[in-house]
Each structure stands twice: as C-alpha cells, then as structure tokens.
Amino acid sequence: MRVRVPVPLPVRISVALPVLRRALTGLALALALTLGAGAVAAPAQASGYRYWSFWDRQGTTWTYATQGPATAHPSDGDVQGFRFAVSADSKDAATPRTAPTFDEVCASTPAKPGRKRVALALDFGTPQDAPGGETPPAARTACAQVPEDATTADALAAVAKPLRYNSAALLCAIAGYPHTGCGEQVSGKTRTKAPNQSAEPQDSAERSSDSGPSLGLLAGIAAILAVAAAAIWQSRRRPRD
C-alpha cells in the first residue's frame, strides 16, 4: 500500500529556493553582460580641435610637419601644404586633398638669384569642418618666391593674405578663412571621409549586429527562465513513497 506523505509548503519552497536563486543569478549575470557589451559597443563622443594643420610633401606622401610655419625654412623646390579640419591630434589630422608637384605649381615662376620658390597647397576643408555660418573657399595652389632665408610663414604671407594669428602665435586663418575662431575644441566631431572611403550605409546584417543583444544571448536568457520555472513546478509536486 502506497502512502502519500504530504510535504509542507515551507519545505517545498526551501527545496526550490537554491535552484531558483542560481537561475536568477545566471539571469542577472547575462543581463549585466548584455548591458556591458552595449556600453562597449556604443561609440563615444569624440573631441577634436578645429585648426590649420601644416604638412611637408615627401616624394608622393604628405608628412605632418615637425615644426611650425614660423620656424620652418623650406628650400627652393619644396612643396608644403595646409589643411583646415577638425582633428584630435597629429595622427588623426586630415591631409591636404590635392597632391601637386613643384613643377605643376611653379612652372611659370622662373628662378631668380638670391630667392627661392616654394610650392604651397592650400586646402580650406569641407563644410562639415567649417565654423557655423562659414563656407570654405575652394582649394588652391600658389608658388611663393621669397628670400632664401624666408620661413614658410613668410612664403604663406606672400601668396595667401590676410593671415591671422592668436597671442600664442598659432596660425588661425589663411586668406581670411575662417573669419573667427582659433583652434577651438569641438565635441562630437564628425570625421571627414577620405576620397577613397565608401559613403554607402551599412547593410542590414551589419546594422543588426550592432543594434542590440544577439539571438544566442536572448535564447540563453530564455533557457535560464525555463529552468527557474521548472524548479518551482518540481517543488510543488508531492513525492510518492
């Protein structure tokens, strides 16, 4: 003869609680990982500075200048460039978008004794990098013929006035652009795309991979909830003798 021995409700609950506690702990961990992954994946608001960067042309490559235009002394035949953009630092700075050769810029400027010729490429940047209410002029080149001991700043002043400097001798404007501002910090910077960089939006698969938790993670959370429910249901059954 089988005798049914009822298990008091407090006992059934005490049996189920460890299992339920483990299930809920796993669920909390999964949710924390989900939120943490979202925090890592979210792009941070970058900060940069809006300014004129200074470049030397080395062969076929623009190289960030190691000194300022007021102290640089180019040689006859050198090519130098300036680019206005929002950049975080020298590694992030955008190069001039044109790459002229010395012969292309200075072919019509004959050499003269006691003077040197410097080819300058002036890139006023994009509308996205312009200060509010201003429109960047078109990029241009110029051949500056200056005394042999002249600096890059002297060459720039010979072909691109007016120039504007701040009290710390930072170059703020070339050919009057921009009208205001000088190296100000810009939050939420928008990067300027390189000419060969695609501007097409991401496809749906790429967007879905960044839009939230993965399907596998959601399935894992559902499984944890199922285990918790099963534990509660099992604890409510009466054991048979």
Side-chain angles (χ1 to χ4, degrees):
M1 177 178 179
R2 295 182 178 180
V3 178
R4 296 176 181 270
V5 179
V7 179
L9 180 60
V11 175
R12 295 201 302 271
I13 294 177
S14 65
V15 172
L17 278 177
V19 178
L20 182 58
R21 187 180 298 113
R22 288 194 296 270
L24 292 177
T25 301
L27 176 59
L29 178 59
L31 289 175
L33 290 175
T34 301
L35 295 175
V40 172
Q45 284 285 319
S47 293
Y49 296 88
R50 183 183 286 117
Y51 68 101
W52 280 99
S53 57
F54 174 35
W55 302 82
D56 288 317
R57 188 73 177 167
Q58 303 291 341
T60 59
T61 305
W62 285 115
T63 302
Y64 200 89
T66 58
Q67 54 185 319
T71 57
H73 287 79
S75 301
D76 183 75
D78 281 353
V79 179
Q80 298 183 314
F82 291 85
R83 170 70 187 271
F84 188 79
V86 175
S87 306
D89 52 38
S90 60
K91 295 180 180 179
D92 178 66
T95 63
R97 290 169 294 173
T98 58
T101 64
F102 176 79
D103 290 338
E104 290 172 343
V105 178
C106 293
S108 60
T109 305
K112 291 182 180 181
R115 299 180 70 83
K116 62 185 177 184
R117 296 164 298 168
V118 181
L120 297 174
L122 308 178
D123 188 338
F124 296 85
T126 66
Q128 290 78 14
D129 287 333
E134 298 201 43
T135 301
R140 62 187 176 92
T141 60
C143 184
Q145 191 167 61
V146 291
E148 290 181 344
D149 62 347
T151 65
T152 301
D154 295 329
L156 194 60
V159 296
K161 288 182 178 178
L163 306 179
R164 180 165 56 87
Y165 294 87
N166 68 2
S167 59
L170 176 66
L171 179 62
C172 304
I174 296 176
Y177 181 82
H179 300 300
T180 60
C182 191
E184 65 272 19
Q185 189 173 23
V186 179
S187 299
K189 180 191 63 166
T190 300
R191 291 290 302 273
T192 302
K193 290 182 178 295
N196 62 345
Q197 187 175 359
S198 173
E200 292 297 321
Q202 293 179 317
D203 60 32
S204 58
E206 291 174 329
R207 287 195 300 269
S208 63
S209 65
D210 296 332
S211 60
S214 65
L215 182 60
L217 181 57
L218 293 177
I221 294 175
I224 293 174
L225 292 175
V227 170
I232 296 174
W233 175 80
Q234 183 67 29
S235 68
R236 297 176 66 180
R237 298 182 59 192
R238 295 181 179 179
R240 296 180 178 181
D241 191 0

